[in-house]
Amino acid sequence: MTDPFQLPHEYSQRGDIIIGDIVAQYGCIFDKTPYTENPRAMVVDGLLVSPKNYQHVLSFVFAVINENSKILPNISMGFQIFDGYLNVRMTHQNTLKLLSSWERIVPNYNCNKTKSLITVVGGLNSEMALHIITLLSIYKIPQLPAVVGKVHPMCTMIELFQLPHEYSQRGDVIIGDIVTQYGCIFDKTTYTENPRTMVVDGLFVSPKIYQQVLSFVFAVKQINENPKILPNISLGFQIFDGYLNVRMTQQNTLKLLSSWERIVPNYNCNKTKSLIAVVGGFNSEMALHIITILSIYKISQMAYCVFAPVTDVKTQLPSFYRMVSNEEFQYSGIIQLLLHFQWTWVGIMATDDDQGEKFVQTLTSMLFQHGICAAHIEKTPAIYQVSHTFGSLESIVPVAVSLASSNVRLFVVNADPQTINALKWLIYINEILRGITDTFKGIVWIMTAHWDFSSQTEHREFDMNIFHGALSFTIHSNEVLDFTKFLQRIHPDLQQEDGFLMVFWEQAFNCTLSDSDEKKERNNACTGEERLDSLPGVVFEMTMTGQSYSIYNAVYAIAHALHKMYASRMKNGAIVDRSRWNPLNLQPWKLHPFLRSISFNNSAGDLIFFNEDGEIAAGFDIINWVTLPNKTFVRVKVGRMDPEGSPGREFNINEEAITWHNMVNQVPPLSLCNDNCQPGYSRKKKEGAPFCCYSCAPCPEEKISDQKDMDDCFKCPQHQYPNKNQDQCIAKDLNFLPFTKSLGIILASLALFLSLITAVVLGIFIKNQNTPIVKANNRDLTYSLLLSLLLCFLCSLLFIGQPQTVTCYLRQTAFGIIFSAAVSCMLAKTTTVVVAFAATKPGTKMRKWVGKRMASSILICCSLIQAIICTVWLCTAPPFPHFDTDSLAEEIIVECNEGSVTMFYLVLGYLGILAIVSFIVAFLARKLPDTFNEARFITFSMLVFCGVWLSFVPSYLSTKGKYMVAVEIFSILASSAGLLVCIFFPKCYIIILRPELNSRHQLVRK
């Protein structure tokens, strides 16, 4: 309510001591206040009177002890009686009247000394008594209710403790801000005595955070000077510090809700201030304290905390907006960074509080899911400065020793101010205790987005080289035009209204201003020539930091939302005249739909909009911090975590742009439980050790590992094989019998040589075809056998060279048919001899079989059967080229797959049957009386033939690749040569060397 609603029922009497009372004589019915419009004064719909309850008032007045000289002599007792109207609001309001002065209703303040409320009587029922004691317990004022019950009083300060750090500028619309430039340590309030004003034990300045104040002011200045945004409306602001303290944060939030002159929370005592939104919330705890109060009034809060204050912000805090991306992207970015460099042995550092515990639990869980060990978890004391009491120093010494003795060389730090300052003290204490200054140098630090490489004034001499090469996730930012020029114009003489500037200036430049109220302990006075751009980077930066960039965007987001609301009202006719639009009548809750729907490009070119969770999806930059000897540093942007990136490309980093600490062992540095397993080895879990500690085992045969730290070795592709070190695969050579290799050349030459001899023998026989030795044993069969042997020698050439489809078709079929023809000739020869001698016997019927017809029939029939078998083979399962990658480890056998093994052995079996039959017939005919009887030669030749092919089968099955082909070629050549030598060489010997034996006379004589 703008003004409390007044009712006239009151009874009071002034005195030295006042006793209050809330009675219940009347009851009122009030109109409900809808929240679709501006709340208005409550209207009484009726007054319900309980006359008998008036006696309660009279009994109270009668009991006031002023006429008894024995009780409270020289002290008058007064009273003030109000009615509660059996209504919660009126009970609260009139209780607040009791707490105020006689003339003015100003709760929480006693504006004069003419009223001293000592106790309150009241509370007809339990509900009424509860509402009264809820307010009285704040001030420890006793209540004596008329209802039975137990009261649990609460305690707080009677007067608000004030600090001077404020910066305000009046305007039509006000934007509030709670920053964290200073930190204070306050005396604890004990509840054994009357609460007193808190005493400041120290003011700890973080000069760099003053840039956040200036970025806020700069944004407001730009907007007020821009006629395109909120024309004829000026933006004002009011900035307080939260001092990293809950009480001060809440108190200054209440100041934002009060008027300019008086701090009266919940009441707007004048019309000169219209708070529309608040920017603030450096960390989640501070943001939560602010929004807890602002959410009552549905005032928007634009926070820039890295972590959300609650789990479900959208549901629990609908008035809360965050100018940074969701922390899930930062957690994911940390994991991606660790995985990129294969860092699996890491430490975690966080403050020992709820937020630190949440950070540790969340990160530890994600590390485990990605195979990374949290080897060291350090929780620093949850205090802003650990040096303010000896007890705190004692508690931090064991932490310093534990951290220094850790074998972890990489730490992920939840880099809020408490943790960073505790870390600096840990490093400092370790150097004092151990006298070693390089313990923490060479550690890789990964900082969360809280960090901006700032240093408090008491850490001015801290060796920042420890953080040289550190990596941090920072809120995405870009260069804002004219901001550097704006900073160059900042000077204490020009910004008198800035309550932050004086302390900042003195602390940053280590000098004393002439009008400073502080005791001038420093000998040097400020000259007036100091410039912000001369300060080292750890104290102040001239380029906008990520937090300042978020504040800058927050102010612009509010301005654009206001402008959009203003334009909407103009469009809908709600405002006829622009000059009649009164910003003081703006309701903060009406700004929400416009804030949720804004989308604009800021002056740096970035698109600003809120997602469905009320967060800016800008992502995080990955910064490499390079320190310089003059206590300055260089920010090097080396990567980005972009939530708007395509899947799988949200994270990117330029490893070559990173500068590492000069004390790291190698580049990039290692952070492992043990040394890497080199290629050729695989990781093997160590019993009893963390899951990322392991030993290295050599890869088994036929497997490799081509990278470091592989969990398992793997087989090479079928066309490759492992090298000797088992760390890479080598392409397999093709294994076949080529014409160009020595074995192929020898076999081919031998085949051609035997073919040539066969051709010579055939020529000799043709030349001497009319001689008795040629004519005696069926000259035509002799020619057929020689031609078959010639083809046998030549068909072996089909087995040499890389197998092709045609050669695979012809190899075994040609070999089978030709050899069948050759063996059939042998069978026909022996059969002819046997039949011829059987026909000479008297009365035999064998004479009709004597002649060339029988021999030709045997040759044709036996050969035809083999040809039929081969035809069926080719039609059903023909041979084909095949690459055998499994039989040999280092070679691929290029062979002709037989297609059907059954058909292959059927061809060989048939050939074997012919050979055995020929051998048997020849063996039976070996002693027949004939001058040129070939039976004994055929017997011996078939013995050789069968011996070769019987030995062929096991040899063929026991060899692989080209040697298997060579065995078959050798068998073909050997068996064919055996036939050639055993049958034809004796005849050639007679024809060439003993021609006298080649005569008819010799034949008749024999």
Side-chain angles (χ1 to χ4, degrees), residues 34 56 203 227 232 259 291 293 393 420 470 523 550 593 625 780 811:
H56 300 168
L203 189 65
N232 302 320
S259 61
I291 193 59
I293 297 174
L393 193 59
I420 292 298
N523 296 325
S550 297
W625 301 87
D780 294 334
R811 274 185 180 183

Side-chain angles (χ1 to χ4, degrees), residues 726-738:
Q726 293 182 277
D727 57 1
Q728 63 178 332
C729 292
I730 301 175
K732 291 183 177 181
D733 294 328
L734 296 180
N735 183 296
F736 61 92
L737 187 61

Side-chain angles (χ1 to χ4, degrees), residues 211 214-223 475-489 541-556 600-606 608:
Q211 191 196 84
L214 296 179
S215 66
F216 188 101
V217 176
F218 176 68
V220 172
K221 178 178 178 294
Q222 277 191 328
I223 293 168
I475 301 171
H476 173 68
S477 62
N478 266 331
E479 183 179 356
V480 177
L481 297 176
D482 299 328
F483 182 65
T484 303
K485 295 180 181 179
F486 172 77
L487 295 180
Q488 291 171 346
R489 294 193 293 268
E541 286 188 71
M542 296 299 287
T543 57
M544 196 173 280
T545 65
Q547 289 86 357
S548 299
Y549 191 69
S550 297
I551 293 172
Y552 177 83
N553 289 331
V555 175
Y556 263 93
F600 66 93
N601 287 94
N602 63 10
S603 60
D606 284 336
I608 306 299

Side-chain angles (χ1 to χ4, degrees), residues 774-795:
V774 175
K775 294 171 63 178
N777 296 105
N778 196 329
R779 185 173 50 193
D780 294 334
L781 281 178
T782 300
Y783 294 158
S784 299
L785 178 58
L786 286 171
L787 286 174
S788 298
L789 291 176
L790 177 61
L791 292 176
C792 284
F793 291 129
L794 293 176
C795 81

Side-chain angles (χ1 to χ4, degrees), residues 1 20 28 75 100 118 182 191 470 508 609 619 634 669 776 872 904 964 993:
M1 297 178 293
C28 288
I75 296 176
S100 301
I118 194 65
Y182 305 117
Y191 293 94
F609 66 94
V634 178
V872 173
F904 173 67
M964 184 174 67
L993 299 179

